[in-house]
Amino acid sequence: MSLTFDKTDLFSWRVLCALAGGEVPWPDDAEEHIHLMSLDKGQVLFEIGRPHPYLYVVRQGCLKLLYRGANGDEWVQDFVAEGAFFCSLTALVGGLSSYACEALEACELERLHYPWLEQTASQKQAWQQALLSGWKDYATRKELRERDLLTLTPPQRYEAFVRTHPGLAQRVPQKDLARYLGVTPVSLSRIRGRLKA
């Protein structure tokens, strides 16, 4: 459904302002391109291999971004919760989404039509700065995630997750956290037990 409340109530506007380093001008057609969405726990937001030219900001709840193998195996790419933004980059550049997104809790999201974001950024310097900063942030997160997977031991990956995602370790199912860390649920239970001891 279209948003009809003040821009200051939008998480997406706050995120854009933070990324731009100041207030961003609000376009007259914003309400046509920003929509509030609700998801039930377990509901899939988008699937692998589909066009999906949208960027999301999480107002409430937690979601997982995941890959699926041909035999049904899952690998969790990331978790996103309140205040975070996410998208499938391959879908934004005209391709298909490379991963799926599923709600781990009941969620409220703001969905922004990305072609409109790019068009607005081409006309407004503050929006251009916000998008550039957003992509830098997104690329940095992905680079650090890749580094952790390639260079850290499973216990170190768990400690890094707890440090960089405060509170999420208690919110996400253990099987999903294990898939994120690249270990089995049993191994994760042992890691947690050793660290508590």
Side-chain angles (χ1 to χ4, degrees):
M1 67 185 201
S2 293
L3 295 167
T4 56
F5 39 82
D6 189 86
K7 68 184 179 186
T8 57
D9 292 327
L10 297 175
F11 278 44
S12 51
W13 187 74
R14 294 180 216 165
V15 168
L16 285 165
C17 289
L19 291 170
E23 188 167 322
V24 295
W26 202 241
D28 294 335
D29 63 345
E31 288 189 9
E32 299 171 32
H33 301 280
I34 302 176
H35 298 277
L36 184 62
M37 301 181 63
S38 296
L39 296 177
D40 294 326
K41 180 179 178 179
Q43 187 173 348
V44 174
L45 178 60
F46 58 83
E47 268 296 355
I48 298 168
R50 305 273 173 84
H52 205 78
Y54 301 103
L55 182 142
Y56 294 90
V57 177
V58 184
R59 293 173 63 85
Q60 182 179 329
C62 180
L63 305 97
K64 65 177 175 179
L65 312 179
L66 65 141
Y67 299 109
R68 289 197 185 97
N71 61 355
D73 289 341
E74 288 185 3
W75 297 268
V76 176
Q77 181 215 62
D78 206 354
F79 301 102
V80 287
E82 293 82 5
F85 64 92
F86 68 97
C87 61
S88 169
L89 184 55
T90 57
L92 292 193
V93 296
L96 305 175
S97 58
S98 60
Y99 59 80
C101 177
E102 182 180 319
L104 292 173
E105 303 170 350
C107 294
E108 286 186 10
L109 309 171
E110 292 170 19
R111 186 185 79 180
L112 291 78
H113 190 230
Y114 190 73
W116 169 76
L117 279 174
E118 280 197 323
Q119 181 182 359
T120 304
S122 72
Q123 300 164 356
K124 299 181 186 298
Q125 180 66 35
W127 284 67
Q128 188 176 58
Q129 180 59 48
L131 280 191
L132 178 61
S133 296
W135 287 126
K136 287 180 180 177
D137 178 74
Y138 194 76
T140 300
R141 282 188 281 152
K142 297 307 168 194
E143 184 175 314
L144 293 175
R145 166 82 169 128
E146 183 177 298
R147 181 205 62 192
D148 288 355
L149 280 173
L150 294 174
T151 65
L152 300 182
T153 65
Q156 289 171 329
R157 287 199 294 273
Y158 176 74
E159 289 179 304
F161 176 82
V162 171
R163 187 173 57 253
T164 58
H165 297 76
L168 275 189
Q170 283 69 48
R171 290 174 67 180
V172 302
Q174 182 161 307
K175 64 181 176 57
D176 288 325
L177 182 52
R179 289 171 178 157
Y180 173 84
L181 297 171
V183 299
T184 66
V186 171
S187 295
L188 175 57
S189 183
R190 288 176 182 151
I191 289 167
R192 282 175 152 170
R194 283 196 297 269
L195 291 174
K196 283 179 183 176

